[in-house]
Amino acid sequence: MAWLPALLLLGLAARHLVLARGHGLSAGRGGGMAVFTTPDYAATRFWRCYLITDGGEHRVRVPGELRALQERLEVLPDPRGLTTLARRVAGASWSDHGPDLPPRARPAEADRPTQGATLQVRAARVELWRLEFDPATARLAASRWREATAERP
């Protein structure tokens, strides 16, 4: 019975290794100490989000009501979650504020006035980027790491 704690700790370490290496778990989450050895943690991951319309692509911010999902996916991204985020972004109501301003999500409350015409969105693409250390240049470089596209529901 004295070996049980050691076996439990080995199991936890193996689980963390599988999640970090195989599923993209942020290095400092899930009980890992790798946050001190790598620049890959949730704060160095960022999003790019695009609305796809008949007139082209428009880069936008993820609507505020989807921030909790966005933050969860920064720590442990999974294909199903990314697709869900893209589908919910595509399904939001967006208003067009002209060619010089990005589209904005319409407020959830019906009584708040919104300026601009409703933007006809066909789909949305969300991209999760991360900073990685480039040993050749000894600098951090951003690279697109995961992405998903979903049609408007």
Side-chain angles (χ1 to χ4, degrees), residues 26-28 33-41 44 130-133 140:
S26 179
M33 295 296 291
V35 71
F36 301 113
T37 63
T38 178
D40 182 28
Y41 57 99
T44 61
R130 69 178 178 176
L131 297 177
E132 297 177 292
F133 181 72
L140 290 175

Side-chain angles (χ1 to χ4, degrees), residues 16 25-34:
H16 185 268
L25 176 67
S26 179
R29 297 294 180 120
M33 295 296 291

Side-chain angles (χ1 to χ4, degrees), residues 99-114:
D100 297 330
L101 295 172
R104 294 187 186 166
R106 288 188 180 264
E109 301 86 21
D111 58 344
R112 288 183 50 198
T114 305

Side-chain angles (χ1 to χ4, degrees), residues 18-52:
V18 167
L19 287 174
R21 298 286 184 196
H23 298 285
L25 176 67
S26 179
R29 297 294 180 120
M33 295 296 291
V35 71
F36 301 113
T37 63
T38 178
D40 182 28
Y41 57 99
T44 61
R45 296 177 180 185
F46 59 95
W47 294 91
R48 291 193 178 155
C49 181
Y50 300 90
L51 299 178
I52 301 167

Side-chain angles (χ1 to χ4, degrees), residues 79-123:
R80 177 189 252 163
L82 289 169
T83 302
T84 298
L85 180 61
R87 187 178 309 111
R88 292 184 66 192
V89 167
S93 181
W94 295 88
S95 59
D96 188 359
H97 293 272
D100 297 330
L101 295 172
R104 294 187 186 166
R106 288 188 180 264
E109 301 86 21
D111 58 344
R112 288 183 50 198
T114 305
Q115 297 177 352
T118 300
L119 191 64
Q120 299 302 313
V121 177
R122 289 187 307 132

